[in-house]
Amino acid sequence: MGIHSEFYYTRLILSLVLVMGYWSLSDGLYAQTSESSLSLVEEPFGQQVMISMESYAFTPSEFVVKTGSPVTLTLSNQSFLVPHNFLLDDPSGIRRVDVDISSGDTKAVTLTLTEPGIYPFYCDKQLLFFPTHREQGMEGRLIVR
């Protein structure tokens, strides 16, 4: 192994360590909620929310965003072999977002909501005659204030 290939691998490893460190630090940039508290995180380019899609659940299942400010929803399907979708309706029932996310995939959606209110979101996927994912509890609320 020559000095150039050792230098290449050293740079590659250092780059991976830096990227992984950035990802671990950037987790704090996303809105995180618990049952008792809702939080809003504003970034220079708008609000950021990371949503994990698992077997019949969204995490977080409820969060708050600011009226009139862009919000980026990063949707990550953590389920094994189970496709999900993310459907977001406005308070009057008009569909605002309709995105399919395959197992293991991540997609981002950016939108600006100008009307305050509660925007329900859910997954309506269904296998044969079984209940839909929403009927099994895969739903949540985006609150615009």
Side-chain angles (χ1 to χ4, degrees):
M1 192 183 306
I3 193 164
H4 294 292
S5 59
E6 288 178 19
F7 180 69
Y8 170 78
Y9 288 116
T10 302
R11 283 186 12 198
L12 179 64
I13 290 170
L14 285 175
S15 297
L16 288 172
V17 168
L18 288 173
V19 168
M20 290 173 66
Y22 172 78
W23 281 342
S24 67
L25 291 175
S26 69
D27 285 345
L29 300 176
Y30 295 107
Q32 297 185 7
T33 62
S34 66
E35 291 293 322
S36 62
S37 68
L38 301 175
S39 47
L40 165 68
V41 175
E42 287 196 60
E43 294 297 310
F45 301 108
Q47 304 160 95
Q48 307 287 318
V49 180
M50 174 71 100
I51 301 172
S52 179
M53 307 166 88
E54 297 148 7
S55 296
Y56 313 117
F58 289 105
T59 305
S61 61
E62 186 171 280
F63 52 93
V64 177
V65 298
K66 186 177 176 184
T67 303
S69 181
V71 59
T72 299
L73 306 175
T74 303
L75 310 163
S76 181
N77 184 347
Q78 303 296 315
S79 298
F80 180 71
L81 296 176
V82 179
H84 290 297
N85 62 7
F86 182 86
L87 306 174
L88 175 73
D89 298 336
D90 69 16
S92 65
I94 297 172
R95 179 74 32 89
R96 298 298 304 265
V97 176
D98 184 345
V99 179
D100 285 316
I101 301 106
S102 300
S103 175
D105 247 357
T106 299
K107 292 185 180 179
V109 175
T110 301
L111 66 155
T112 301
L113 301 169
T114 57
E115 296 295 322
I118 297 173
Y119 292 67
F121 61 87
Y122 52 93
C123 174
D124 71 351
K125 294 287 186 185
Q126 182 177 21
L127 178 63
L128 303 172
F129 54 86
F130 293 102
T132 67
H133 293 185
R134 184 180 194 182
E135 292 170 333
Q136 295 182 59
M138 194 167 184
E139 61 185 341
R141 301 178 337 151
L142 184 158
I143 301 167
V144 179
R145 293 190 182 149

